[in-house]
Structures are given as C-alpha cells and as structure tokens.
Amino acid sequence: MHVTLSATLAANEDIARRRRSGERVLHLAFGEAGLPVHPALLARLADAGASNGYGEVAGLAALREAAAGYWSRRELPTDPDLVVCGPGSKSLLFGLLVAIGADPGEWRSPGDMVLPMPSWVSYAAQAEIVGVRPILVPTPAGEGGVPDPDQVRSAVLHARAQGRTVRSVLVTLPDNPTGRLARPETVRRLAEVARELDLVIISDEIYRDLVHDPHATPFLSPADVAPERTVITSGLSKSLALGGWRIGVARLPHTPGGWALRQRLLAVASEIWSAPAAPVQHAAAYAFAEPEEIVERIDDSRRLHATVARAVADRFARAGAKVDVPQGGFYLYPQMPGFDSSDELARTLLDRHGVGVLPGTAFGDEPRSARVRVATSLLYGETAEQRLAALHGSDPLSLPWVAESLDYLEEALGGLTTKEPSRARRRMFLAPAPAR
C-alpha cells in the first residue's frame, strides 16, 4: 500500500510555503469555498460551546431530524434514524467503505469499487487504505461524476470473471473535479446496471445546492430511482463554507440492508471518531433546517461561484483550452494543447507562470491527457471584508482584487506557449501573501 498526503492538501501547503517566501502564486488548486461563516451559525456555535459531552455515535437527534427534513424537502423522505452524522462527509465515506459488504455480525472484505474517471483524489486513496481496488471507468463526454453505465457493466463483469468481488459504485453530483452534472438519463441507466449487478451506489452530493447553470439538466439523485441501494453523503463544507468545522451526514436506504449497514457504520464510527463535535452539530442542525437567512446565503454563494467560475473558464477558452462550461460548485477541468501530460502542464503553470492547479493524474486521469483541475473559490479576496464584498456585490468581477487576479491569469495563460515567465510572474508581492 502506498498512500501519500492528499494532493489537494499537499498543493495547498506548497503554495502557502511559496507565498510566505514572497512568490506570487494565484491559488487555483484548493477546493475551499472561500467565504466567511454566516453570523447566525457563529452564534449557534457559541451558544452550544458548553456542550462537551460525547453524545450519540449516530449524531445529535436534532441534527439527524434536520438532515432528514432537508432530504424530505427534496422529495427524498428520510427516517432520522437512518441518518448518520460524522466529522465531515470524508470520514463518513471512509466508514462506508469499511462497512459495505459485511453481513450482520460478520466482517469481511468490502469488495472492490467502481469510480468515475476522473474523480476526487480521496476516493481511490481511501479505497487503497482499506484494501479495496478501484475500477476506474470514464464518464460520458461532456458529463462528470457518473461513470458510463455500459462500461460499468462490462468492467464489473470482467472483474468478477477474474475472481474479484465488486460491491459498490461511487458517483459525485455535481462533480469535483470537472464541475459538470451528469444527465438524468445517465443516472437512470447507472441505477439499472447497479440493480442488475447488485451494486451499492454511494452518491456524494456535497455540491448539490451549488448547481448554478440554468441550462443544466435537472438534478437527479440515484436515490430517486434506486432508493433501495443508494447511500447519500453530504455536508456543509461547500454550500456554507464550513470545511474547518468538519461535519457531514449520510442517508442510508430504508431497507433491511440499510438498517444493517447503519449498525456496521456506527460500529466503525464508534472506534474512529466516537461522535462529531457537539457544538458544531448544534449549529449544523440550524443550517440543515434551512431558515431564510441560510437559504439566502447559499443562493448568494451559488451566484458568486457561477460568476467567477465562468469567468475563469472564459480565460482558459480564450487561451485555446478545451473546457466545458462549469455547471456546479467552483471547479473546471480544462485541457490545454501543446503539452504531453497534465503533470507537465501543472508544473509549467506553477513554476513559470505562478498559477497553482492540480494535474489530472491526481484524479485518476490518463497521464497523457493534459487536463488540470482548476478551483476558483479562493479568488474572492484575502480578507473577510473582501470576500463579503464579492458575495454581496452586484458585479464581483469588477472588484479590483478579483479583476486583478483574472488579469494575472489571462497573462499567465497567454504565456504558456513561450519559454519565458509571464510579466505577471516576474512581479512579486510587496509582502508575502497571508497563508490560507
């Protein structure tokens, strides 16, 4: 087993180090939502500060009820007892990898897992940690987050013919790294294949509330069409910029298998995280109840993410990149001509032009596919005041710090075909930028 520091976290630390040394680096490598915490959530956190008991492993009853209501309002009726909370959806995904596949009272290998290619860096890494071999299957052209159903069928049958056990398939709606949303017909076809092959579907929907393309196909969860075999994970790190608070929720199927999975997941949780942080759970319960002020904040952030992500995509397109219009979250996945690999493209952008991105190889992409993951959410400003101005402004692209970053990016992309660093790269900060 060979597991290294997460590519996103490693890039974030490298860029912070470069900035402390005085380098000018435009940070497009880290998927943090880039916005301040809503004051109402800060107040709930402070009010619950004295809650220092461990609490239930499954999570605070008020939080599980609020999360159940969140899904029920999205036409997915949910039993609060089939909601499990954890310290971030990332932890819950890991717990599910361990728990899937075992019979009640019996632990065995969770079997191998189908992943979309490309897909978020931690899926394959977590699988490797627990001894699961990922089966990477490309997504349909122009889509993201859901592997091509026909290729899933053939890949699983081939793996099983070799004696491998395959138990699950994981999808992301909308997707990180591509920023695209799978079409409903693709989700339906995958659900049919999952039934045919008896696969559990894990649907990572942490970006669901950040679908921002008005022309995107309607959002369809696998739980809408295959509720008996779909587990949904979500959280507040993206929609409400609470990554550092570490809180996530999972919705399990209302079936005997779902109840059995709950028991196994709680067993894993009890030995790893015991219970999520109690004060954070109280604040999260308020957020998942979706009061008007929280809904407005998410609406504002969705608009900002859309505006800036599309502006960045436009800069890449004008530089000759092939890039699909972002549909959700704050990502895009451009392919740049003239490079032999995504690693070469990412190194060139960082070392010669001061732009930090992640190579497609970090997401399981083919090495010779010169695609990179671009995260746009750290362009909103360096201070809380700047970020709030971007959030609430009618034209965030006209704000000086946003406009300057976009100009810097455009000049850097224009210099990709030359051997010399761009003029923007040669200009240094007067003082090192603050670490994020």
Side-chain angles (χ1 to χ4, degrees):
M1 180 176 67
H2 179 65
V3 178
T4 60
L5 186 66
S6 166
T8 52
L9 296 174
N12 191 51
E13 293 179 9
D14 178 43
I15 290 172
R17 176 187 58 77
R18 288 171 181 256
R19 288 175 137 195
R20 285 193 299 269
S21 70
E23 289 188 42
R24 176 69 192 270
V25 180
L26 190 65
H27 198 346
L28 302 177
F30 195 48
E32 188 167 283
L35 293 168
V37 179
H38 193 286
L41 297 177
L42 289 173
R44 265 65 186 184
L45 184 72
D47 289 344
S51 302
N52 62 342
Y54 283 108
E56 296 182 49
V57 176
L60 188 73
L63 174 53
R64 290 186 284 110
E65 290 166 4
Y70 166 89
W71 278 305
S72 296
R73 287 188 292 276
R74 287 153 180 80
E75 300 183 0
L76 290 171
T78 302
D79 185 334
D81 287 335
L82 283 167
V83 175
V84 176
C85 310
S89 62
K90 192 173 184 178
S91 301
L92 288 166
L93 285 165
F94 183 81
L96 286 164
L97 281 180
V98 177
I100 285 174
D103 292 327
E106 176 189 353
W107 290 94
R108 58 182 177 179
S109 168
D112 293 336
M113 165 186 281
V114 177
L115 294 177
M117 185 178 72
S119 56
W120 180 46
V121 298
S122 290
Y123 297 145
Q126 286 190 353
E128 187 172 352
I129 290 172
V130 300
V132 170
R133 288 181 292 174
I135 300 171
L136 298 177
V137 174
T139 60
E143 300 184 50
V146 175
D148 182 273
D150 293 331
Q151 293 191 53
V152 169
R153 178 186 289 106
S154 60
V156 171
L157 292 176
H158 177 72
R160 287 177 174 172
Q162 294 179 319
R164 294 170 64 178
T165 300
V166 186
R167 300 190 192 278
S168 59
V169 56
L170 190 148
V171 302
T172 315
L173 299 162
D175 183 40
N176 170 14
T178 65
R180 299 289 289 178
L181 178 64
R183 295 180 301 163
E185 49 265 45
T186 302
V187 175
R188 290 192 182 93
R189 287 171 51 223
L190 181 74
E192 293 172 1
V193 171
R195 279 202 182 99
E196 174 190 332
L197 301 177
D198 193 21
L199 299 174
V200 175
I201 304 172
I202 303 174
S203 186
D204 183 350
E205 299 179 8
I206 199 164
Y207 296 96
R208 173 170 184 158
D209 293 332
L210 297 181
V211 177
H212 49 63
D213 183 355
H215 305 296
T217 56
F219 184 98
L220 183 71
S221 170
D224 289 311
V225 288
E228 81 286 356
R229 62 185 58 254
T230 300
V231 178
I232 300 176
T233 61
S234 189
L236 302 174
S237 60
K238 309 305 178 181
S239 62
L240 285 167
L242 297 180
W245 285 24
R246 309 311 304 141
I247 190 70
V249 289
R251 177 189 184 273
L252 307 180
H254 199 296
T255 62
W259 287 101
L261 178 59
R262 176 184 185 272
Q263 291 304 112
R264 297 194 298 275
L265 179 57
L266 291 180
V268 173
S270 71
E271 301 297 354
I272 298 178
W273 61 78
S274 299
V280 175
Q281 290 191 74
H282 283 279
Y286 180 78
F288 275 114
E290 299 184 292
E292 183 178 356
E293 59 192 343
I294 295 300
V295 173
E296 289 178 354
R297 166 57 70 88
I298 295 174
D299 288 345
D300 288 344
S301 66
R302 186 188 305 114
R303 173 194 55 81
L304 175 61
H305 296 322
T307 299
V308 176
R310 289 172 195 166
V312 172
D314 180 62
R315 268 60 177 185
F316 272 90
R318 294 204 307 243
K322 179 182 178 182
V323 57
D324 290 317
V325 175
Q327 295 176 311
F330 29 81
Y331 304 113
L332 52 140
Y333 203 62
Q335 183 173 16
M336 208 74 192
F339 291 86
D340 292 332
S341 70
S342 63
D343 293 289
E344 180 194 6
L345 174 56
R347 284 196 307 270
T348 301
L349 278 169
L350 180 59
D351 294 337
R352 290 186 176 274
H353 303 286
V355 177
V357 297
L358 285 181
T361 50
F363 302 90
D365 214 345
E366 295 290 347
R368 296 187 63 82
S369 178
R371 301 195 291 184
V372 291
R373 203 285 303 270
V374 179
T376 63
S377 48
L378 294 183
L379 297 179
Y380 308 150
E382 295 288 343
T383 67
E385 290 75 19
Q386 288 182 342
R387 293 165 185 162
L388 287 173
L391 181 68
H392 299 304
S394 59
D395 183 13
L397 301 183
S398 68
L399 294 170
W401 55 92
V402 178
E404 195 277 337
S405 292
L406 292 173
D407 289 345
Y408 180 97
L409 174 64
E410 188 160 19
E411 184 178 337
L413 293 174
L416 275 178
T417 57
T418 70
K419 295 183 179 180
E420 293 297 324
S422 61
R423 291 194 307 273
R425 175 59 171 160
R426 295 194 294 267
R427 295 194 297 268
M428 309 292 277
F429 281 135
L430 293 177
R436 303 197 205 186

